[in-house]
Amino acid sequence: MSDDVAGNGAQGATGTDAVKAGLARMLKGGVIMDVVDADQAKIAEDSGACAVMALERIPAEIRKAGGVARMSDPEMIMGIQEAVTIPVMAKCRIGHHVEAQVLQALEIDYIDESEVLTPADESSHVDKRQFTAPFVCGATNLGEALRRIAEGAAMIRTKGEAGTGNVVEAVRHMKTITQDIRRVVSATPDERFAIAKEMAAPLELIEWVGLHGRLPVVNFSAGGIATPADAALMMHLGAEGVFVGSGIFMSEDPPARARAIVEATTHWDDPDVVARVSRGLREAMPGLEIGEIADGGLLQTRGW
Amino acid sequence: MSAADARRPRIGVLAVQGAVSEHEAALADVGARTTRVRAPEDLAGLGGLVIPGGESTTFGLVAGESGLLDAVRLRVDDGLPVLGTCAGMIMLATGIAGGGPQPLIGGMDIVVRRNAFGRQVHSFEAPVEVAVLGDPPMQGIFIRAPWIEQVGPSVEVLAEHGGHPVAARDATRIVAAFHPELTADRRLHRLFVEGIGQVAAGTEHEEDTVVGAQ
């Protein structure tokens, strides 16, 4: 946090917790779409996306290409920032605080410290408290989510398994977090010490969850969402919004699918709407069975 | 439902996308019942409407498609009291300075500039003096916030920041560029709900929204 002159001479404190976590609150109920260029960003915005994630290759392509996946070229990110008025997010490698500094210098609206890129540090994540830009981080369970929040993440997304078009891992991670929260809520104060140790999470955050029955920040779902029904399913399971990566621009009719996923996310509890928007979307992206992913090929196990 | 409950105004919260539950909690704190508005029929019997923060382009597209935007515009033009924060303020403006066309509700004689204070790294919080609310100032949380660039004769400016109007009202509408729903200060919500007074709430869909549920 710093005292800063905001744009156009307005004086105020930037980078406060309220300001960082507040933007995630404004994204709730919305769809954040992966885009690789300005044209895709426009399609996303015109389909009702509440934000876009700028990256050089969508996760399914990263998975196919192999090698080291890094932060995107600033030139490409800036092109997307020019093209749309909605928030623009971008990914840095886990633990790569210089990539994060570059993204902040580009005035990215949210930094995703993401397991989709190749980790840069095998033990530590970025100290996100040092940044004015807010961070979103992936999690597969409550302990992981609270570790990221302790480091300064202002938004969480369940990891799922990116680039597969298979929602099963997203479901597993969302249910795990919900079940973990239920367990903390029903635990006695002394049991919460043991849970904090077991989950490797700060005790004060475990106690906060016990008191409030939810995560301290907004929680979206990500990784494998490919259809309007997938998006609605994740909302049913308690997601406050969804990230769709490969699911839109790897499909046969991206604008129609993008639009349909937005509608299904708003009207997730209305099966008539989900049915109507699911009609005639042509082929979804080809899916990948999790069991067919070679050893070491899972992205969700990156991060500590 | 008790007779006292029936006299509490029922306020809709536009629930296309954005900070819906935060406004529901604030409205409950000042004694209003709330209903989520996702379809035109949800507007029946409302004593007022809140348009929350979120992405105004998303609101316009999703609510435009379903006919909800037209239905809201009809009711608002007809005098339904409305509170709009951030994106909600944009939706109620008659025009957007320097922006491309996007679907709006309109009706309030203001022109706004979207993202006027800059991108998220310039988002900030600062005390905002709102004269009609007295002391102390509100803590204004400005998130990629708009400001008001032009004000018509029917509009009263309620607060300024950095020389720009950031809150205003006319006969039926209150707008703010910042987010009182993200703080514990309920004075702006109280001003809105008390302005509605004891308007008899509708009789259908009486079950209250569970406040704070996501």
Side-chain angles (χ1 to χ4, degrees), chain A residues 8 10-11 13-14 16 19 25-28 45-46 48-50 85-87 107 109 240 259 266, chain B residues 16-18 21-22 38 54-55 58 61 114-117 119-120 122-125 144 161 179 214:
Chain A
N8 299 291
Q11 198 83 32
T14 58
T16 63
V19 161
R25 302 199 157 273
M26 301 308 140
L27 300 173
K28 284 194 304 178
E45 182 173 56
D46 292 345
C50 66
T85 62
I86 56 179
E107 302 199 345
D109 293 304
E240 296 181 281
R259 196 55 203 271
T266 292
Chain B
V16 167
Q17 186 267 316
S21 61
E22 291 78 0
R38 285 204 185 92
E55 278 305 314
T58 306
L61 282 159
R114 287 185 63 198
N115 304 335
F117 291 99
R119 299 185 194 278
Q120 173 64 13
H122 302 293
S123 292
F124 62 98
E125 47 183 307
R144 290 170 40 91
H161 186 79
H179 293 281
Q214 300 294 308

mmCIF file of all heavy atoms in Angstrom, chain A residues 8 10-11 13-14 16 19 25-28 45-46 48-50 85-87 107 109 240 259 266, chain B residues 16-18 21-22 38 54-55 58 61 114-117 119-120 122-125 144 161 179 214:
data_model
loop_
_atom_site.group_PDB
_atom_site.id
_atom_site.type_symbol
_atom_site.label_atom_id
_atom_site.label_comp_id
_atom_site.label_asym_id
_atom_site.label_seq_id
_atom_site.Cartn_x
_atom_site.Cartn_y
_atom_site.Cartn_z
ATOM 1 N N ASN A 8 -4.949 11.543 -13.043
ATOM 2 C CA ASN A 8 -5.702 12.795 -13.098
ATOM 3 C C ASN A 8 -5.759 13.530 -11.767
ATOM 4 O O ASN A 8 -6.741 14.189 -11.450
ATOM 5 C CB ASN A 8 -7.113 12.548 -13.617
ATOM 6 C CG ASN A 8 -7.090 11.965 -15.020
ATOM 7 O OD1 ASN A 8 -6.733 12.645 -15.964
ATOM 8 N ND2 ASN A 8 -7.415 10.687 -15.129
ATOM 9 N N ALA A 10 -6.101 12.788 -8.631
ATOM 10 C CA ALA A 10 -6.911 12.414 -7.476
ATOM 11 C C ALA A 10 -6.016 11.787 -6.421
ATOM 12 O O ALA A 10 -5.216 10.905 -6.712
ATOM 13 C CB ALA A 10 -8.002 11.446 -7.888
ATOM 14 N N GLN A 11 -6.148 12.242 -5.204
ATOM 15 C CA GLN A 11 -5.265 11.780 -4.140
ATOM 16 C C GLN A 11 -5.926 10.645 -3.373
ATOM 17 O O GLN A 11 -7.114 10.726 -3.055
ATOM 18 C CB GLN A 11 -4.997 12.947 -3.187
ATOM 19 C CG GLN A 11 -3.794 12.767 -2.305
ATOM 20 C CD GLN A 11 -2.498 13.139 -3.008
ATOM 21 O OE1 GLN A 11 -2.487 14.016 -3.844
ATOM 22 N NE2 GLN A 11 -1.426 12.440 -2.681
ATOM 23 N N ALA A 13 -5.074 6.439 -1.242
ATOM 24 C CA ALA A 13 -4.188 5.324 -0.959
ATOM 25 C C ALA A 13 -4.449 4.217 -1.974
ATOM 26 O O ALA A 13 -5.559 3.686 -2.050
ATOM 27 C CB ALA A 13 -4.434 4.817 0.455
ATOM 28 N N THR A 14 -3.429 3.875 -2.759
ATOM 29 C CA THR A 14 -3.582 2.807 -3.752
ATOM 30 C C THR A 14 -3.109 1.477 -3.171
ATOM 31 O O THR A 14 -2.394 1.440 -2.170
ATOM 32 C CB THR A 14 -2.760 3.115 -5.020
ATOM 33 O OG1 THR A 14 -1.389 3.260 -4.650
ATOM 34 C CG2 THR A 14 -3.230 4.397 -5.686
ATOM 35 N N THR A 16 -4.486 -0.847 -1.478
ATOM 36 C CA THR A 16 -4.953 -1.324 -0.172
ATOM 37 C C THR A 16 -5.674 -2.663 -0.348
ATOM 38 O O THR A 16 -6.097 -3.016 -1.452
ATOM 39 C CB THR A 16 -5.930 -0.323 0.470
ATOM 40 O OG1 THR A 16 -7.086 -0.215 -0.367
ATOM 41 C CG2 THR A 16 -5.299 1.061 0.603
ATOM 42 N N VAL A 19 -9.091 -2.233 -1.895
ATOM 43 C CA VAL A 19 -9.076 -1.922 -3.320
ATOM 44 C C VAL A 19 -8.722 -3.175 -4.144
ATOM 45 O O VAL A 19 -9.305 -3.438 -5.190
ATOM 46 C CB VAL A 19 -8.069 -0.771 -3.573
ATOM 47 C CG1 VAL A 19 -7.661 -0.703 -5.020
ATOM 48 C CG2 VAL A 19 -8.668 0.557 -3.102
ATOM 49 N N ARG A 25 -14.520 -8.552 -6.231
ATOM 50 C CA ARG A 25 -15.961 -8.535 -5.907
ATOM 51 C C ARG A 25 -16.774 -8.028 -7.091
ATOM 52 O O ARG A 25 -17.902 -8.472 -7.325
ATOM 53 C CB ARG A 25 -16.225 -7.684 -4.667
ATOM 54 C CG ARG A 25 -15.455 -8.191 -3.462
ATOM 55 C CD ARG A 25 -15.977 -7.726 -2.125
ATOM 56 N NE ARG A 25 -15.518 -8.686 -1.141
ATOM 57 C CZ ARG A 25 -16.172 -9.803 -0.830
ATOM 58 N NH1 ARG A 25 -17.348 -10.051 -1.374
ATOM 59 N NH2 ARG A 25 -15.666 -10.660 0.011
ATOM 60 N N MET A 26 -16.201 -7.072 -7.832
ATOM 61 C CA MET A 26 -16.905 -6.525 -8.997
ATOM 62 C C MET A 26 -16.960 -7.529 -10.152
ATOM 63 O O MET A 26 -17.751 -7.381 -11.064
ATOM 64 C CB MET A 26 -16.225 -5.233 -9.476
ATOM 65 C CG MET A 26 -16.172 -4.148 -8.426
ATOM 66 S SD MET A 26 -17.802 -3.809 -7.705
ATOM 67 C CE MET A 26 -17.364 -3.597 -5.971
ATOM 68 N N LEU A 27 -16.092 -8.537 -10.112
ATOM 69 C CA LEU A 27 -16.065 -9.536 -11.191
ATOM 70 C C LEU A 27 -17.031 -10.684 -10.934
ATOM 71 O O LEU A 27 -17.291 -11.503 -11.820
ATOM 72 C CB LEU A 27 -14.642 -10.102 -11.333
ATOM 73 C CG LEU A 27 -13.547 -9.088 -11.671
ATOM 74 C CD1 LEU A 27 -12.175 -9.764 -11.617
ATOM 75 C CD2 LEU A 27 -13.775 -8.474 -13.037
ATOM 76 N N LYS A 28 -17.585 -10.755 -9.721
ATOM 77 C CA LYS A 28 -18.410 -11.899 -9.329
ATOM 78 C C LYS A 28 -19.551 -12.129 -10.312
ATOM 79 O O LYS A 28 -20.120 -11.186 -10.848
ATOM 80 C CB LYS A 28 -19.004 -11.681 -7.930
ATOM 81 C CG LYS A 28 -17.994 -11.898 -6.817
ATOM 82 C CD LYS A 28 -18.687 -12.018 -5.457
ATOM 83 C CE LYS A 28 -19.539 -10.814 -5.159
ATOM 84 N NZ LYS A 28 -20.252 -10.957 -3.871
ATOM 85 N N GLU A 45 -15.035 -9.364 -25.039
ATOM 86 C CA GLU A 45 -15.749 -8.207 -24.484
ATOM 87 C C GLU A 45 -17.155 -8.102 -25.068
ATOM 88 O O GLU A 45 -18.122 -7.859 -24.339
ATOM 89 C CB GLU A 45 -14.964 -6.924 -24.772
ATOM 90 C CG GLU A 45 -15.615 -5.679 -24.185
ATOM 91 C CD GLU A 45 -14.740 -4.439 -24.337
ATOM 92 O OE1 GLU A 45 -14.356 -4.098 -25.474
ATOM 93 O OE2 GLU A 45 -14.425 -3.822 -23.313
ATOM 94 N N ASP A 46 -17.264 -8.312 -26.376
ATOM 95 C CA ASP A 46 -18.580 -8.210 -27.034
ATOM 96 C C ASP A 46 -19.501 -9.365 -26.654
ATOM 97 O O ASP A 46 -20.693 -9.332 -26.954
ATOM 98 C CB ASP A 46 -18.407 -8.162 -28.560
ATOM 99 C CG ASP A 46 -17.751 -6.871 -29.016
ATOM 100 O OD1 ASP A 46 -17.698 -5.919 -28.207
ATOM 101 O OD2 ASP A 46 -17.272 -6.810 -30.166
ATOM 102 N N GLY A 48 -19.703 -10.318 -23.474
ATOM 103 C CA GLY A 48 -20.103 -10.085 -22.084
ATOM 104 C C GLY A 48 -19.096 -10.566 -21.054
ATOM 105 O O GLY A 48 -19.421 -10.634 -19.866
ATOM 106 N N ALA A 49 -17.865 -10.887 -21.469
ATOM 107 C CA ALA A 49 -16.835 -11.247 -20.488
ATOM 108 C C ALA A 49 -16.651 -10.085 -19.512
ATOM 109 O O ALA A 49 -16.711 -8.925 -19.915
ATOM 110 C CB ALA A 49 -15.510 -11.546 -21.191
ATOM 111 N N CYS A 50 -16.411 -10.394 -18.210
ATOM 112 C CA CYS A 50 -16.202 -9.320 -17.242
ATOM 113 C C CYS A 50 -14.726 -8.964 -17.148
ATOM 114 O O CYS A 50 -14.366 -7.973 -16.518
ATOM 115 C CB CYS A 50 -16.755 -9.709 -15.879
ATOM 116 S SG CYS A 50 -15.884 -11.066 -15.107
ATOM 117 N N THR A 85 -12.100 -2.248 -22.877
ATOM 118 C CA THR A 85 -12.252 -1.377 -21.697
ATOM 119 C C THR A 85 -12.431 -2.190 -20.417
ATOM 120 O O THR A 85 -12.396 -1.639 -19.323
ATOM 121 C CB THR A 85 -13.469 -0.451 -21.850
ATOM 122 O OG1 THR A 85 -14.651 -1.264 -21.952
ATOM 123 C CG2 THR A 85 -13.344 0.427 -23.080
ATOM 124 N N ILE A 86 -12.660 -3.507 -20.529
ATOM 125 C CA ILE A 86 -12.826 -4.346 -19.340
ATOM 126 C C ILE A 86 -11.434 -4.658 -18.750
ATOM 127 O O ILE A 86 -10.420 -4.449 -19.416
ATOM 128 C CB ILE A 86 -13.593 -5.653 -19.678
ATOM 129 C CG1 ILE A 86 -12.907 -6.428 -20.801
ATOM 130 C CG2 ILE A 86 -15.035 -5.335 -20.063
ATOM 131 C CD1 ILE A 86 -13.597 -7.743 -21.157
ATOM 132 N N PRO A 87 -11.377 -5.138 -17.496
ATOM 133 C CA PRO A 87 -10.065 -5.414 -16.887
ATOM 134 C C PRO A 87 -9.267 -6.453 -17.688
ATOM 135 O O PRO A 87 -9.843 -7.386 -18.249
ATOM 136 C CB PRO A 87 -10.430 -5.974 -15.505
ATOM 137 C CG PRO A 87 -11.794 -5.453 -15.225
ATOM 138 C CD PRO A 87 -12.485 -5.363 -16.544
ATOM 139 N N GLU A 107 0.715 -1.938 -15.936
ATOM 140 C CA GLU A 107 -0.599 -1.592 -15.378
ATOM 141 C C GLU A 107 -1.658 -2.650 -15.686
ATOM 142 O O GLU A 107 -2.806 -2.344 -16.012
ATOM 143 C CB GLU A 107 -1.066 -0.206 -15.850
ATOM 144 C CG GLU A 107 -0.078 0.890 -15.490
ATOM 145 C CD GLU A 107 -0.698 2.292 -15.512
ATOM 146 O OE1 GLU A 107 -1.793 2.446 -16.070
ATOM 147 O OE2 GLU A 107 -0.071 3.206 -14.946
ATOM 148 N N ASP A 109 -4.415 -5.237 -14.700
ATOM 149 C CA ASP A 109 -5.418 -5.055 -13.647
ATOM 150 C C ASP A 109 -5.388 -6.161 -12.596
ATOM 151 O O ASP A 109 -5.743 -5.935 -11.438
ATOM 152 C CB ASP A 109 -6.811 -4.978 -14.274
ATOM 153 C CG ASP A 109 -6.976 -3.715 -15.107
ATOM 154 O OD1 ASP A 109 -6.772 -2.623 -14.555
ATOM 155 O OD2 ASP A 109 -7.291 -3.826 -16.308
ATOM 156 N N GLU A 240 -17.881 -18.359 -7.463
ATOM 157 C CA GLU A 240 -18.472 -17.019 -7.559
ATOM 158 C C GLU A 240 -18.312 -16.438 -8.963
ATOM 159 O O GLU A 240 -18.686 -15.298 -9.218
ATOM 160 C CB GLU A 240 -17.830 -16.114 -6.505
ATOM 161 C CG GLU A 240 -18.140 -16.594 -5.094
ATOM 162 C CD GLU A 240 -17.539 -15.723 -4.004
ATOM 163 O OE1 GLU A 240 -16.322 -15.877 -3.744
ATOM 164 O OE2 GLU A 240 -18.264 -14.898 -3.438
ATOM 165 N N ARG A 259 -20.658 -16.263 -25.627
ATOM 166 C CA ARG A 259 -21.923 -15.643 -25.237
ATOM 167 C C ARG A 259 -22.763 -16.591 -24.379
ATOM 168 O O ARG A 259 -23.344 -16.208 -23.365
ATOM 169 C CB ARG A 259 -22.667 -15.278 -26.533
ATOM 170 C CG ARG A 259 -23.785 -14.330 -26.363
ATOM 171 C CD ARG A 259 -23.222 -13.111 -25.673
ATOM 172 N NE ARG A 259 -24.273 -12.404 -24.996
ATOM 173 C CZ ARG A 259 -25.004 -11.466 -25.568
ATOM 174 N NH1 ARG A 259 -24.744 -11.102 -26.810
ATOM 175 N NH2 ARG A 259 -25.955 -10.881 -24.904
ATOM 176 N N THR A 266 -24.615 -16.297 -15.522
ATOM 177 C CA THR A 266 -25.592 -15.427 -14.861
ATOM 178 C C THR A 266 -26.811 -16.226 -14.404
ATOM 179 O O THR A 266 -27.295 -16.056 -13.285
ATOM 180 C CB THR A 266 -26.054 -14.301 -15.816
ATOM 181 O OG1 THR A 266 -24.968 -13.418 -16.059
ATOM 182 C CG2 THR A 266 -27.221 -13.513 -15.226
ATOM 183 N N VAL B 16 -27.212 -9.382 -12.683
ATOM 184 C CA VAL B 16 -26.613 -9.939 -13.901
ATOM 185 C C VAL B 16 -25.194 -10.398 -13.594
ATOM 186 O O VAL B 16 -24.755 -11.472 -13.990
ATOM 187 C CB VAL B 16 -26.596 -8.865 -15.011
ATOM 188 C CG1 VAL B 16 -25.717 -9.294 -16.173
ATOM 189 C CG2 VAL B 16 -28.011 -8.589 -15.493
ATOM 190 N N GLN B 17 -24.478 -9.564 -12.823
ATOM 191 C CA GLN B 17 -23.055 -9.803 -12.545
ATOM 192 C C GLN B 17 -22.635 -8.695 -11.591
ATOM 193 O O GLN B 17 -23.251 -7.632 -11.571
ATOM 194 C CB GLN B 17 -22.276 -9.726 -13.875
ATOM 195 C CG GLN B 17 -20.803 -10.080 -13.836
ATOM 196 C CD GLN B 17 -19.946 -8.864 -13.643
ATOM 197 O OE1 GLN B 17 -20.161 -7.845 -14.252
ATOM 198 N NE2 GLN B 17 -18.977 -8.975 -12.748
ATOM 199 N N GLY B 18 -21.602 -8.946 -10.774
ATOM 200 C CA GLY B 18 -21.058 -7.889 -9.931
ATOM 201 C C GLY B 18 -21.306 -8.094 -8.444
ATOM 202 O O GLY B 18 -21.616 -9.193 -7.995
ATOM 203 N N SER B 21 -24.238 -9.433 -3.505
ATOM 204 C CA SER B 21 -24.476 -9.795 -2.094
ATOM 205 C C SER B 21 -24.063 -8.671 -1.151
ATOM 206 O O SER B 21 -24.640 -8.513 -0.071
ATOM 207 C CB SER B 21 -23.754 -11.100 -1.750
ATOM 208 O OG SER B 21 -22.362 -10.963 -1.929
ATOM 209 N N GLU B 22 -23.084 -7.862 -1.547
ATOM 210 C CA GLU B 22 -22.637 -6.741 -0.705
ATOM 211 C C GLU B 22 -23.759 -5.710 -0.559
ATOM 212 O O GLU B 22 -23.991 -5.177 0.528
ATOM 213 C CB GLU B 22 -21.391 -6.089 -1.324
ATOM 214 C CG GLU B 22 -20.126 -6.960 -1.270
ATOM 215 C CD GLU B 22 -20.070 -8.055 -2.321
ATOM 216 O OE1 GLU B 22 -21.012 -8.163 -3.131
ATOM 217 O OE2 GLU B 22 -19.086 -8.816 -2.332
ATOM 218 N N ARG B 38 -33.078 -10.687 -12.186
ATOM 219 C CA ARG B 38 -32.378 -11.268 -13.332
ATOM 220 C C ARG B 38 -33.248 -11.286 -14.580
ATOM 221 O O ARG B 38 -32.763 -11.481 -15.677
ATOM 222 C CB ARG B 38 -31.976 -12.725 -13.029
ATOM 223 C CG ARG B 38 -30.810 -12.861 -12.104
ATOM 224 C CD ARG B 38 -30.136 -14.218 -12.332
ATOM 225 N NE ARG B 38 -29.071 -14.418 -11.367
ATOM 226 C CZ ARG B 38 -29.242 -15.025 -10.206
ATOM 227 N NH1 ARG B 38 -30.419 -15.510 -9.881
ATOM 228 N NH2 ARG B 38 -28.233 -15.161 -9.378
ATOM 229 N N GLY B 54 -19.774 -3.631 -11.096
ATOM 230 C CA GLY B 54 -19.515 -4.802 -11.930
ATOM 231 C C GLY B 54 -18.971 -4.271 -13.231
ATOM 232 O O GLY B 54 -18.375 -3.201 -13.248
ATOM 233 N N GLU B 55 -19.174 -4.989 -14.310
ATOM 234 C CA GLU B 55 -18.744 -4.472 -15.607
ATOM 235 C C GLU B 55 -19.963 -3.997 -16.387
ATOM 236 O O GLU B 55 -20.847 -4.795 -16.713
ATOM 237 C CB GLU B 55 -17.974 -5.539 -16.388
ATOM 238 C CG GLU B 55 -16.526 -5.635 -15.978
ATOM 239 C CD GLU B 55 -15.777 -4.287 -16.060
ATOM 240 O OE1 GLU B 55 -15.914 -3.586 -17.080
ATOM 241 O OE2 GLU B 55 -15.076 -3.942 -15.097
ATOM 242 N N THR B 58 -20.873 -5.885 -19.544
ATOM 243 C CA THR B 58 -21.526 -7.170 -19.285
ATOM 244 C C THR B 58 -23.003 -6.957 -18.966
ATOM 245 O O THR B 58 -23.880 -7.654 -19.500
ATOM 246 C CB THR B 58 -20.841 -7.912 -18.112
ATOM 247 O OG1 THR B 58 -19.446 -8.015 -18.400
ATOM 248 C CG2 THR B 58 -21.422 -9.286 -17.900
ATOM 249 N N LEU B 61 -24.938 -6.103 -22.188
ATOM 250 C CA LEU B 61 -25.112 -7.207 -23.131
ATOM 251 C C LEU B 61 -26.084 -8.246 -22.595
ATOM 252 O O LEU B 61 -27.030 -8.639 -23.282
ATOM 253 C CB LEU B 61 -23.757 -7.869 -23.405
ATOM 254 C CG LEU B 61 -22.885 -7.093 -24.377
ATOM 255 C CD1 LEU B 61 -21.431 -7.490 -24.218
ATOM 256 C CD2 LEU B 61 -23.360 -7.354 -25.804
ATOM 257 N N ARG B 114 -15.882 6.547 -18.181
ATOM 258 C CA ARG B 114 -15.531 5.233 -17.616
ATOM 259 C C ARG B 114 -14.041 5.181 -17.297
ATOM 260 O O ARG B 114 -13.226 5.775 -18.002
ATOM 261 C CB ARG B 114 -15.859 4.107 -18.615
ATOM 262 C CG ARG B 114 -17.330 3.820 -18.769
ATOM 263 C CD ARG B 114 -17.537 2.605 -19.673
ATOM 264 N NE ARG B 114 -16.971 1.403 -19.088
ATOM 265 C CZ ARG B 114 -16.691 0.301 -19.772
ATOM 266 N NH1 ARG B 114 -16.911 0.234 -21.061
ATOM 267 N NH2 ARG B 114 -16.191 -0.754 -19.168
ATOM 268 N N ASN B 115 -13.695 4.401 -16.258
ATOM 269 C CA ASN B 115 -12.284 4.187 -15.869
ATOM 270 C C ASN B 115 -11.521 5.514 -15.811
ATOM 271 O O ASN B 115 -10.344 5.577 -16.176
ATOM 272 C CB ASN B 115 -11.579 3.229 -16.852
ATOM 273 C CG ASN B 115 -12.299 1.894 -16.989
ATOM 274 O OD1 ASN B 115 -13.005 1.471 -16.085
ATOM 275 N ND2 ASN B 115 -12.130 1.226 -18.118
ATOM 276 N N ALA B 116 -12.200 6.559 -15.357
ATOM 277 C CA ALA B 116 -11.644 7.907 -15.442
ATOM 278 C C ALA B 116 -10.397 8.070 -14.583
ATOM 279 O O ALA B 116 -9.494 8.836 -14.919
ATOM 280 C CB ALA B 116 -12.709 8.923 -15.028
ATOM 281 N N PHE B 117 -10.333 7.366 -13.455
ATOM 282 C CA PHE B 117 -9.182 7.493 -12.563
ATOM 283 C C PHE B 117 -8.038 6.562 -12.968
ATOM 284 O O PHE B 117 -7.019 6.511 -12.296
ATOM 285 C CB PHE B 117 -9.598 7.214 -11.110
ATOM 286 C CG PHE B 117 -10.494 8.280 -10.523
ATOM 287 C CD1 PHE B 117 -11.868 8.108 -10.473
ATOM 288 C CD2 PHE B 117 -9.953 9.466 -10.025
ATOM 289 C CE1 PHE B 117 -12.690 9.090 -9.923
ATOM 290 C CE2 PHE B 117 -10.765 10.451 -9.478
ATOM 291 C CZ PHE B 117 -12.144 10.265 -9.433
ATOM 292 N N ARG B 119 -6.393 2.665 -14.623
ATOM 293 C CA ARG B 119 -6.501 1.217 -14.444
ATOM 294 C C ARG B 119 -6.387 0.843 -12.967
ATOM 295 O O ARG B 119 -6.163 1.693 -12.115
ATOM 296 C CB ARG B 119 -5.391 0.522 -15.241
ATOM 297 C CG ARG B 119 -5.459 0.787 -16.739
ATOM 298 C CD ARG B 119 -4.406 -0.037 -17.470
ATOM 299 N NE ARG B 119 -4.202 0.417 -18.838
ATOM 300 C CZ ARG B 119 -4.984 0.075 -19.874
ATOM 301 N NH1 ARG B 119 -6.010 -0.728 -19.682
ATOM 302 N NH2 ARG B 119 -4.742 0.520 -21.087
ATOM 303 N N GLN B 120 -6.474 -0.471 -12.692
ATOM 304 C CA GLN B 120 -6.553 -0.940 -11.309
ATOM 305 C C GLN B 120 -5.399 -0.454 -10.421
ATOM 306 O O GLN B 120 -5.608 -0.156 -9.250
ATOM 307 C CB GLN B 120 -6.641 -2.469 -11.273
ATOM 308 C CG GLN B 120 -6.561 -3.101 -9.888
ATOM 309 C CD GLN B 120 -7.722 -2.725 -8.993
ATOM 310 O OE1 GLN B 120 -8.730 -2.185 -9.450
ATOM 311 N NE2 GLN B 120 -7.592 -3.001 -7.710
ATOM 312 N N HIS B 122 -4.176 2.256 -10.211
ATOM 313 C CA HIS B 122 -4.508 3.606 -9.732
ATOM 314 C C HIS B 122 -5.786 3.623 -8.889
ATOM 315 O O HIS B 122 -6.194 4.689 -8.415
ATOM 316 C CB HIS B 122 -4.661 4.572 -10.911
ATOM 317 C CG HIS B 122 -3.435 4.668 -11.755
ATOM 318 N ND1 HIS B 122 -2.266 5.224 -11.296
ATOM 319 C CD2 HIS B 122 -3.175 4.245 -13.019
ATOM 320 C CE1 HIS B 122 -1.340 5.142 -12.253
ATOM 321 N NE2 HIS B 122 -1.871 4.555 -13.296
ATOM 322 N N SER B 123 -6.444 2.473 -8.747
ATOM 323 C CA SER B 123 -7.612 2.409 -7.864
ATOM 324 C C SER B 123 -7.169 2.792 -6.457
ATOM 325 O O SER B 123 -6.043 2.507 -6.058
ATOM 326 C CB SER B 123 -8.199 0.990 -7.861
ATOM 327 O OG SER B 123 -8.763 0.694 -9.123
ATOM 328 N N PHE B 124 -8.049 3.433 -5.701
ATOM 329 C CA PHE B 124 -7.600 4.005 -4.433
ATOM 330 C C PHE B 124 -8.765 4.125 -3.464
ATOM 331 O O PHE B 124 -9.930 3.982 -3.844
ATOM 332 C CB PHE B 124 -7.002 5.404 -4.669
ATOM 333 C CG PHE B 124 -7.992 6.394 -5.230
ATOM 334 C CD1 PHE B 124 -8.657 7.291 -4.394
ATOM 335 C CD2 PHE B 124 -8.276 6.422 -6.581
ATOM 336 C CE1 PHE B 124 -9.582 8.202 -4.905
ATOM 337 C CE2 PHE B 124 -9.200 7.325 -7.111
ATOM 338 C CZ PHE B 124 -9.852 8.217 -6.270
ATOM 339 N N GLU B 125 -8.417 4.373 -2.204
ATOM 340 C CA GLU B 125 -9.454 4.779 -1.265
ATOM 341 C C GLU B 125 -9.074 6.111 -0.637
ATOM 342 O O GLU B 125 -7.900 6.398 -0.433
ATOM 343 C CB GLU B 125 -9.755 3.710 -0.219
ATOM 344 C CG GLU B 125 -8.594 3.067 0.477
ATOM 345 C CD GLU B 125 -9.093 1.978 1.444
ATOM 346 O OE1 GLU B 125 -9.951 2.277 2.279
ATOM 347 O OE2 GLU B 125 -8.592 0.836 1.350
ATOM 348 N N ARG B 144 -11.237 1.201 -10.422
ATOM 349 C CA ARG B 144 -11.344 1.501 -11.864
ATOM 350 C C ARG B 144 -12.563 2.406 -12.076
ATOM 351 O O ARG B 144 -13.380 2.201 -12.965
ATOM 352 C CB ARG B 144 -11.493 0.197 -12.672
ATOM 353 C CG ARG B 144 -10.210 -0.654 -12.692
ATOM 354 C CD ARG B 144 -10.446 -2.048 -13.278
ATOM 355 N NE ARG B 144 -11.329 -2.038 -14.414
ATOM 356 C CZ ARG B 144 -10.954 -1.918 -15.689
ATOM 357 N NH1 ARG B 144 -9.684 -1.818 -15.986
ATOM 358 N NH2 ARG B 144 -11.835 -1.920 -16.648
ATOM 359 N N HIS B 161 -14.381 14.571 -5.845
ATOM 360 C CA HIS B 161 -13.031 14.144 -5.457
ATOM 361 C C HIS B 161 -12.076 14.570 -6.564
ATOM 362 O O HIS B 161 -12.344 14.321 -7.740
ATOM 363 C CB HIS B 161 -12.954 12.629 -5.248
ATOM 364 C CG HIS B 161 -11.620 12.190 -4.719
ATOM 365 N ND1 HIS B 161 -11.269 12.317 -3.398
ATOM 366 C CD2 HIS B 161 -10.534 11.675 -5.342
ATOM 367 C CE1 HIS B 161 -10.037 11.888 -3.218
ATOM 368 N NE2 HIS B 161 -9.566 11.486 -4.392
ATOM 369 N N HIS B 179 -17.722 2.814 -3.790
ATOM 370 C CA HIS B 179 -18.441 1.618 -3.355
ATOM 371 C C HIS B 179 -18.748 1.628 -1.861
ATOM 372 O O HIS B 179 -18.050 0.962 -1.086
ATOM 373 C CB HIS B 179 -17.617 0.365 -3.676
ATOM 374 C CG HIS B 179 -17.459 0.117 -5.136
ATOM 375 N ND1 HIS B 179 -18.449 -0.442 -5.906
ATOM 376 C CD2 HIS B 179 -16.423 0.364 -5.972
ATOM 377 C CE1 HIS B 179 -18.032 -0.527 -7.153
ATOM 378 N NE2 HIS B 179 -16.805 -0.043 -7.233
ATOM 379 N N GLN B 214 -23.841 -16.352 -1.168
ATOM 380 C CA GLN B 214 -23.155 -16.018 -2.421
ATOM 381 C C GLN B 214 -23.907 -16.619 -3.588
ATOM 382 O O GLN B 214 -24.336 -17.724 -3.526
ATOM 383 C CB GLN B 214 -21.726 -16.566 -2.390
ATOM 384 C CG GLN B 214 -20.925 -15.985 -1.266
ATOM 385 C CD GLN B 214 -20.670 -14.498 -1.428
ATOM 386 O OE1 GLN B 214 -20.191 -14.069 -2.463
ATOM 387 N NE2 GLN B 214 -21.022 -13.717 -0.434
#
